[in-house]
Amino acid sequence: GAGVSQSPRYKVAKRGQDVALRCDPISGHVSLFWYQQALGQGPEFLTYFQNEAQLDKSGLPSDRFFAERPEGSVSTLKIQRTQQEDSAVYLCASSLTPLETQYFGPGTRLLVL
Amino acid sequence: QKEVEQNSGPLSVPEGAIASLNCTYSDRVSQSFFWYRQYSGKSPELIMSIYSNGDKEDGRFTAQLNKASQYVSLLIRDSQPSDSATYLCAVNMFTSGTYKYIFGTGTRLKVLA
C-alpha cells in the first residue's frame, strides 16, 4: 500500500510568512508524529497525535508552531511568522500504535529567507 | 547528557569489512529500539527493530541489545559502498505521559571501495 506522503516537498518562505505543511499517513495508522531535522542532526520530536487527539506537543519550539489532525487522518503543521531558524526538514511519521515501528514520509524541506 | 548518544563519525571501513555502530541511552525502562538508515537528502528508513536482550539478525545486519548496560549496536557484515549513509539509533521512551522516539544524532558510515 501507499506509504506516508508529505507536501509540499520543498518550500521557500520569506521571513514573517505563514506556512502549512501537510502529512498523509499510512491508512489505518493511529499514531502520527512530527519531527524537525536540522542539517547533521537526528530528527527532533515536535508533536504526537493518537487519532485526532494531540497527546503530546512538548517538542513544539514556540507558540508559532501549531499542528492539527481534525479527522484522525491527514495532519497539518502550521508555522506562523516564520523565522530563519525554522529552516529545516520537517518529517512526518506514522505507526499502527505508539509502540510500533514508525514509517517516515519524504519530508518537507523548508527554507526561510 | 543527551538521552540517546551516538558517535557522529565518520566511520570509514573498507568494502567487505564489518561495520560496528554503537548507541547508548539514558532511560532504563525503554523497551523498543530501532536502527534507521538515512541517505543524504532522504528520509529515515527502518533497518532493524529490537525489543529483547541479545542479538537479532536480518541478512547482513545484526542488532545487539544489552538493557543492563543501556547499549544497542548494529553490525553490518560484508559492508558495501551502498551502505554508506547515516545510521540513526532511536529509542522509544515513555516521557511527558506519552511514548515518543528519541533519536541520536546519527553515525555517518563510509564504505570505501
Side-chain angles (χ1 to χ4, degrees):
Chain A
V4 179
S5 61
Q6 292 185 246
S7 62
R9 294 292 310 279
Y10 303 92
K11 177 70 179 177
V12 179
K14 291 184 180 177
R15 190 161 57 94
Q17 242 183 326
D18 296 350
V19 298
L21 313 179
R22 176 189 167 108
C23 173
D24 211 326
I26 293 172
S27 178
H29 278 195
V30 165
S31 302
L32 185 147
F33 303 80
W34 283 98
Y35 295 88
Q36 181 189 60
Q37 187 173 25
L39 196 63
Q41 300 296 313
E44 295 278 347
F45 171 84
L46 292 178
T47 187
Y48 159 60
F49 289 87
Q50 185 162 305
N51 294 307
E52 69 279 4
Q54 188 176 21
L55 298 187
D56 189 344
K57 53 182 181 179
S58 61
L60 295 176
S62 78
D63 58 9
R64 296 186 295 104
F65 287 70
F66 171 77
E68 60 183 4
R69 193 186 185 196
E71 297 177 1
S73 178
V74 170
S75 176
T76 303
L77 176 67
K78 297 179 180 177
I79 309 173
Q80 298 176 321
R81 304 181 303 283
T82 52
Q83 302 294 313
Q84 286 186 320
E85 62 262 28
D86 300 335
S87 297
V89 175
Y90 290 85
L91 294 164
C92 175
S94 71
S95 61
L96 274 172
T97 73
L99 286 175
E100 295 185 59
T101 300
Q102 295 184 19
Y103 297 91
F104 283 83
T108 295
R109 190 174 297 271
L110 173 66
L111 177 62
V112 181
L113 301 175
Chain B
Q1 182 190 0
K2 286 184 69 73
E3 294 173 286
V4 178
E5 297 210 40
Q6 294 181 257
N7 188 319
S8 61
L11 172 67
S12 296
V13 300
E15 185 176 357
I18 295 175
S20 177
L21 305 162
N22 304 315
C23 172
T24 58
Y25 60 95
S26 61
D27 184 355
R28 291 187 173 277
V29 301
S30 295
Q31 296 295 317
S32 311
F33 306 86
F34 305 85
W35 282 100
Y36 284 82
R37 178 175 62 198
Q38 188 172 29
Y39 292 112
S40 181
K42 301 294 186 183
S43 61
E45 56 177 328
L46 181 72
I47 297 294
M48 297 276 286
S49 60
I50 187 166
Y51 303 92
S52 317
N53 276 328
D55 294 0
K56 180 181 177 183
E57 188 174 316
D58 184 359
R60 296 186 297 112
F61 299 96
T62 299
Q64 299 174 319
L65 175 61
N66 184 325
K67 290 185 181 179
S69 300
Q70 294 171 235
Y71 174 94
V72 57
S73 65
L74 180 70
L75 300 177
I76 307 174
R77 287 182 299 282
D78 188 24
S79 296
Q80 301 298 308
S82 58
D83 295 327
S84 298
T86 295
Y87 289 79
L88 296 164
C89 171
V91 178
N92 200 336
M93 293 186 181
F94 188 77
T95 176
S96 302
T98 62
Y99 286 96
K100 63 170 68 102
Y101 275 28
I102 305 297
F103 282 88
T105 54
T107 297
R108 193 154 59 97
L109 174 66
K110 288 185 175 180
V111 180
L112 307 172

